[in-house]
Amino acid sequence: MATEIVMPKLGLTMTEGLINNWLVKEGDTVAAGQPVLEISSEKLTSDVEAPSAGVILKIISQAGDTVPCKKVIAWIGEAGESIPGMETEEVSANKSESDKGAVDSEPELAEKTVAASSYTVGKSEQGRIFITPLARKIAKEKGYDISLISGTGGKGRITRRDVENYKPEALPNQTPESSSAVLQHAGQVDYGAGLTGMRKTIAERMMTSLQTSAQVTLHRKVDISRLMAFRQDMKDKVASPLENGEISITTLLTKAVAKALKDHPQLNAWYFNGQYQEVEDIHIGIATALSDGLVVPVIRHVDKLTLADLGLAIKTEATQARKGTLDPALYSGSTFSITNLGGAGVEYFTPILNTPEVAILGVGALQTALALDSQGQVYEQKFLPLSLTFDHQVVDGQPAAEFLASLADKLESPYDLVF
C-alpha cells in the first residue's frame, strides 16, 4: 500500500514549511530513512526522510511551495502502485476545470494575442485567476498584482516564467493608496517579503514575536568577580583538563538561570494562542550564530545536569548546529532562551522573545572596573551586563526584576552552582 510523505511539524509553533528543494524525482527508488527533500521552517533548514523504502510515485507539492504541517506532499510505494483517492480526485478536478474554464475558442485566441500592456490575464468566466502555486508565491514575494499578469499556460494559466518576465507598469490612475490597499487585501502583512529560506523564516518569526507580545527589557550588571575566581580555583585543583566547557561562563550562567527559574517559575513558561502555561521541565535554548542566520539549539532538563554534562551538551549541540547535523527535535521545545553578544563587544541590548516563550536573557561583554575595599586598597571587579526581555502581557515588571536579582545572587555564589 502506498505511503504518504507529509510536511513534518518540527516545533510547537510551526504551522507550515517551505519546500526548498526535492532531492529525488518521480520514479526514483529510495531507501527508508533516505533524505528526499529539504525544507525551511522555525529558523532551520532540515531534511525530510523517506518513511519507507520504495519508489517515489507522485510529488504533489513542488519546490517553492509553502505547505501546512501534516499535509501530504508526496507518495511512496511499489512501482505502478495506485495512490489512494488520487484517481477520484483527478477526475473530479478535471471535470471542475472543464466546467469552470470553458470559453469560446475565439475569445481564448484573442486573449493569447493581446499585448501585455493591456493587462489581460488567465481567468475563467467566473473571474477566477488560474496560476500555479510557485508562480503565486513568486508574485507575492515581488509584490505583484497577479490580476495584471498575462498567462501563457493552458487556458491562460499564469506560470513561473510569466511572473519572472512580467514588467510592472504604472497604471494611469494608480496612487500610493491603491498599492497599500492591495497589501491590505491580502489579509495579513507579508513579513520578510522578498527574502527566502532561513532569512525569511527569521524575519517572519521576529516580526510575529514583536506584533503578538508586549516586550519590555530590564538591564542590570552583575558582579562576577567571585565567579571568575571560582573558575580559576577549579582549573588549579582539577587534575584532568577541562576541555568541554564545564566551567565556561556560558555553562555557569546557564546553570544559574535554571536555578533562578526554579525560584521564579512564571518565567519558565509559554504563552501561545491565548493560553499561558508554566512548564515544569527547564529546557534552555542557546542562540547560535551561523554564516547565513541564527538557530537556537535546546538543552533539555538543564536543572538536572551536572556542570560537566551541561558544558558538553552546549558544546556538542552548538557544533552540530553549525554543521547542520543537529537532530531537528533539538531546535524546539525551549522554555527560556539565552543570547550572547558579548563577543562583539556589546554591553546591553534588547533581545526579541523566542515565542511562545515569555522571557529571554541577553548577555553582554565582560566589564572590568577598579574599586576600593574596606582597607582602602584598590582591587579589580568583573561585571557581566544582562538584559532580560519579558512579555508584559503575562509577566509584570516586579517579578521580572526579582528573577534578575535571584540570578545575580546565584552568579555571586558560584560554589552553589556545583550542587
Side-chain angles (χ1 to χ4, degrees):
M1 181 176 180
T3 302
E4 57 189 28
I5 300 175
V6 302
M7 174 62 68
K9 185 176 179 66
L10 302 179
L12 179 67
T13 60
M14 179 177 173
T15 59
E16 60 185 17
L18 171 67
I19 298 177
N20 289 338
N21 182 42
W22 278 99
L23 307 177
V24 296
K25 60 182 182 298
E26 291 182 8
D28 284 357
T29 299
V30 298
Q34 176 182 334
V36 292
L37 75 152
E38 184 183 81
I39 66 169
S40 290
S41 186
E42 298 293 323
K43 297 187 182 179
L44 73 138
T45 298
S46 177
D47 288 339
V48 176
E49 299 177 347
S52 60
V55 174
I56 301 297
L57 301 175
K58 181 71 175 179
I59 293 177
I60 299 173
S61 300
Q62 306 301 319
D65 289 352
T66 297
V67 183
C69 292
K70 304 302 181 182
K71 182 176 180 180
V72 177
I73 54 179
W75 289 90
I76 186 172
E78 298 294 331
E81 184 176 359
S82 61
I83 300 173
M86 184 61 68
E87 293 181 0
T88 302
E89 291 179 6
E90 289 181 350
V91 170
S92 176
N94 290 338
K95 184 177 185 304
S96 175
E97 184 81 3
S98 176
D99 291 344
K100 292 182 178 181
V103 292
D104 294 335
S105 58
E106 291 182 2
E108 182 176 350
L109 179 61
E111 179 179 322
K112 289 184 178 180
T113 58
V114 116
S117 60
S118 66
Y119 304 104
T120 302
V121 298
K123 295 184 180 180
S124 68
E125 291 178 344
Q126 289 76 19
R128 172 188 172 192
I129 298 177
F130 295 121
I131 182 171
T132 66
L134 180 56
R136 184 182 296 276
K137 175 179 176 56
I138 296 173
K140 183 178 180 182
E141 291 176 348
K142 292 179 177 293
Y144 293 166
D145 182 349
I146 61 174
S147 67
L148 305 179
I149 302 175
S150 296
T152 59
K155 298 188 182 300
R157 186 182 301 275
I158 300 171
T159 66
R160 172 183 61 82
R161 188 177 299 277
D162 295 328
V163 176
E164 293 176 343
N165 292 336
Y166 173 64
K167 304 297 182 185
E169 297 180 17
L171 295 175
N173 61 345
Q174 188 174 21
T175 65
E177 288 74 21
S178 64
S179 297
S180 175
V182 171
L183 291 177
Q184 294 177 9
H185 182 68
Q188 62 180 11
V189 178
D190 183 18
Y191 297 136
L195 303 177
T196 59
M198 181 182 290
R199 193 72 259 161
K200 181 176 178 62
T201 302
I202 292 175
E204 291 173 342
R205 293 273 294 162
M206 294 297 95
M207 288 301 297
T208 299
S209 174
L210 289 170
Q211 297 300 321
T212 58
S213 57
Q215 301 193 23
V216 179
T217 304
L218 301 181
H219 304 290
R220 170 178 183 147
K221 62 182 178 182
V222 179
D223 186 349
I224 61 168
S225 302
R226 279 180 284 183
L227 183 77
M228 300 302 286
F230 163 78
R231 295 179 69 234
Q232 189 59 52
D233 187 37
M234 288 294 101
K235 290 178 181 178
D236 294 340
K237 292 181 177 179
V238 176
S240 58
L242 301 174
E243 300 176 342
N244 291 315
E246 297 92 336
I247 55 172
S248 70
I249 292 179
T250 298
T251 299
L252 295 171
L253 175 64
T254 304
K255 189 67 174 179
V257 166
K259 286 181 172 291
L261 288 173
K262 278 289 188 183
D263 297 338
H264 302 274
Q266 63 268 49
L267 275 78
N268 190 62
W270 294 321
Y271 184 56
F272 182 62
N273 282 344
Q275 298 293 321
Y276 169 76
Q277 175 189 355
E278 290 186 8
V279 186
E280 182 176 354
D281 296 323
I282 297 178
H283 306 317
I284 297 182
I286 308 293
T288 303
L290 305 180
S291 59
D292 58 347
L294 177 76
V295 292
V296 187
V298 180
I299 312 299
R300 301 191 182 281
H301 303 290
V302 173
D303 54 317
K304 299 176 182 178
L305 298 178
T306 64
L307 289 178
D309 291 337
L310 178 57
L312 181 59
I314 293 174
K315 179 181 178 180
T316 300
E317 290 195 21
T319 299
Q320 291 179 349
R322 292 188 179 101
K323 292 181 178 179
T325 60
L326 184 64
D327 182 350
L330 293 178
Y331 285 110
S332 62
S334 54
T335 59
F336 187 96
S337 289
I338 298 174
T339 179
N340 191 333
L341 291 181
V346 174
E347 294 182 36
Y348 298 101
F349 57 105
T350 53
I352 298 175
L353 290 176
N354 183 25
T355 53
E357 298 166 23
V358 300
I360 182 173
L361 182 71
V363 184
L366 189 64
Q367 305 294 307
T368 301
L370 298 178
L372 295 176
D373 62 18
S374 58
Q375 305 300 318
Q377 300 297 312
V378 177
Y379 70 99
E380 187 178 80
Q381 281 184 303
K382 298 287 187 180
F383 291 99
L384 189 66
L386 300 177
S387 303
L388 177 71
T389 296
F390 60 96
D391 188 350
H392 213 324
Q393 293 180 110
V394 292
V395 178
D396 290 329
Q398 184 62 32
E402 290 173 354
F403 167 81
L404 265 183
S406 176
L407 176 57
D409 289 341
K410 310 296 183 188
L411 292 173
E412 292 170 0
S413 303
Y415 285 91
D416 291 342
L417 300 178
V418 177
F419 307 101

